[in-house]
Amino acid sequence: MSKVSIRRFARSTEGGLTGICVVFFVGLVIASGGDLLEPNSLRVLLQFLAVPVLIGLAQMVVLAVGQLNLAVGAIGGFAAVAMGVLMVDHGVPVPLALLIGFGLATLAGLANGLLVVLTRINGFIVTLATMTVLIGVQYRLVGTRTVDDYPQALKSFGAYAVFGVLPVIFGVALLVAVVLAIVLRRTVPGRQLLASGGNPIAARLSGISNDRSVILAHTISGAILGVAAVLTVASSPGVNKSIGGDWLLPSFAAPIIGGALLTGGSAVILGTVLAAFIVRFVDTARAEFSLEPSWVNFVVGAVVLGSVVLGQVRTRRQARTQVVKTPDVAVTGGVA
């Protein structure tokens, strides 16, 4: 990597987030007296990062087309509970149950996209409605019980770590991030999706279907949540009606802190992953210093609000700079 590239990265949002992650990690290592460097501590830290990374990516891809997905937790929780019920109550083999749950989450995302396009209702309202419906379905499936009697092999997979440090489920989350980056930046549908989010009018004039991009974004979001549901079932002692209930704030926090624009057109995959680390570090610090759990929501909410404000200021400054740099065009006429 050249010095110019290093300097450019250092000045980018991702570079700043990397620095914050390093400072946070070093501070936590010092505060814990070095215990955080123990293999088991690192394994737990990374294991509980897998799902936050995925739900952040699921929200980010919808933000990329200028939409919001309030049903992130409902889709993931519904899919996770469906997997558990299929395995325990109906004796469905593990691979088939996981595949069905993944398919249900993907279909839920597809349904969100179709409803937004067909009804022309704001995605905020549509996903709020589907969230309410899916929470009801989730409760109908599992009631007040916890489903935990599924095969031990699945739980072993969720707890397995390479060299006792790197959890497999965290590796799966990173693999999803890499695949999403390739889809959004190296494929035609992915580039069209970002173009639709960045400037819908210009995209439409270029022959790009904004409706197709919205449907694709919600479908990809549902598929990512399906993977998150699989990892949740594998790494949790059981699933119940509360699964997914606390996913909404982290799903917005990671991409927004990572630099995603609420107006769409941005794919901040590395930034989303780094921001998920920061949110996890905040939670770890809360546990280390025995603070109230509500402090995590307070800090994360404040950081999200600050990120949105800074993003707006940056956008306006860039727009003002472009106006200043644009030369005046004089229209003159004459008679030959």
Side-chain angles (χ1 to χ4, degrees):
M1 184 179 292
S2 64
K3 293 183 178 179
V4 175
S5 299
I6 295 175
R7 193 179 300 114
R8 187 181 297 117
F9 177 78
R11 293 177 179 175
S12 66
T13 300
E14 290 83 357
L17 291 173
T18 301
I20 294 173
C21 285
V22 171
V23 171
F24 247 121
F25 183 74
V26 172
L28 288 172
V29 169
I30 295 174
S32 65
D35 291 343
L36 190 60
L37 294 177
E38 294 292 327
N40 186 60
S41 298
L42 290 175
R43 179 185 61 80
V44 172
L45 176 70
L46 296 176
Q47 183 175 8
F48 284 98
L49 257 173
V51 172
V53 166
L54 290 176
I55 61 178
L57 294 174
Q59 192 68 256
M60 186 219 70
V61 72
V62 176
L63 289 173
V65 290
Q67 295 272 314
L68 301 174
N69 186 1
L70 299 186
V72 164
I75 293 175
F78 157 67
V81 164
M83 294 173 192
V85 169
L86 285 171
M87 288 184 288
V88 175
D89 293 353
H90 302 284
V92 177
V94 172
L96 181 58
L98 299 183
L99 183 61
I100 292 174
F102 172 80
L104 290 173
T106 305
L107 288 175
L110 174 62
N112 277 338
L114 289 173
L115 286 171
V116 170
V117 169
L118 295 177
T119 64
R120 299 299 173 186
I121 298 175
N122 188 281
F124 180 92
I125 302 299
V126 169
T127 56
L128 178 62
T130 55
M131 176 188 73
T132 306
V133 170
L134 290 175
I135 288 176
V137 174
Q138 182 177 350
Y139 181 79
R140 181 68 181 83
L141 285 173
V142 76
T144 58
R145 65 191 174 116
T146 296
V147 178
D148 57 4
D149 194 24
Y150 42 84
Q152 183 61 38
L154 180 59
K155 296 181 180 180
S156 298
F157 167 77
Y160 182 76
V162 180
F163 304 120
V165 177
L166 181 63
V168 172
I169 62 172
F170 181 69
V172 172
L174 293 184
L175 179 61
V176 171
V178 171
V179 171
L180 182 61
I182 294 173
V183 169
L184 292 180
R185 295 178 177 169
R186 302 294 182 183
T187 68
V188 173
R191 291 197 295 269
Q192 290 178 343
L193 186 153
L194 294 177
S196 293
N199 193 328
I201 296 176
R204 185 168 62 251
L205 293 176
S206 300
I208 297 173
S209 172
N210 292 323
D211 290 346
R212 189 182 301 119
S213 295
V214 169
I215 294 172
L216 177 62
H218 279 283
T219 304
I220 293 175
S221 178
I224 295 174
L225 292 171
V227 178
V230 171
L231 300 188
T232 297
V233 173
S235 61
S236 301
V239 293
N240 52 40
K241 64 182 180 63
S242 67
I243 293 294
D246 57 350
W247 288 11
L248 188 57
L249 177 59
S251 77
F252 279 107
I256 291 176
I257 296 173
L261 300 175
L262 295 178
T263 53
S266 60
V268 287
I269 294 169
L270 177 58
T272 298
V273 173
L274 292 172
F277 268 93
I278 292 175
V279 173
R280 176 60 183 154
F281 285 150
V282 170
D283 191 39
T284 303
R286 192 270 314 165
E288 180 66 30
F289 297 105
S290 301
L291 301 176
E292 288 291 330
S294 57
W295 277 103
V296 176
N297 290 338
F298 173 79
V299 173
V300 172
V303 173
V304 169
L305 180 60
S307 300
V308 172
V309 172
L310 289 176
Q312 292 291 334
V313 171
R314 191 185 307 117
T315 300
R316 291 173 184 172
R317 184 178 299 170
Q318 290 176 349
R320 200 179 305 121
T321 302
Q322 290 176 355
V323 170
V324 172
K325 290 183 178 180
T326 301
D328 295 331
V329 179
V331 179
T332 60
V335 179

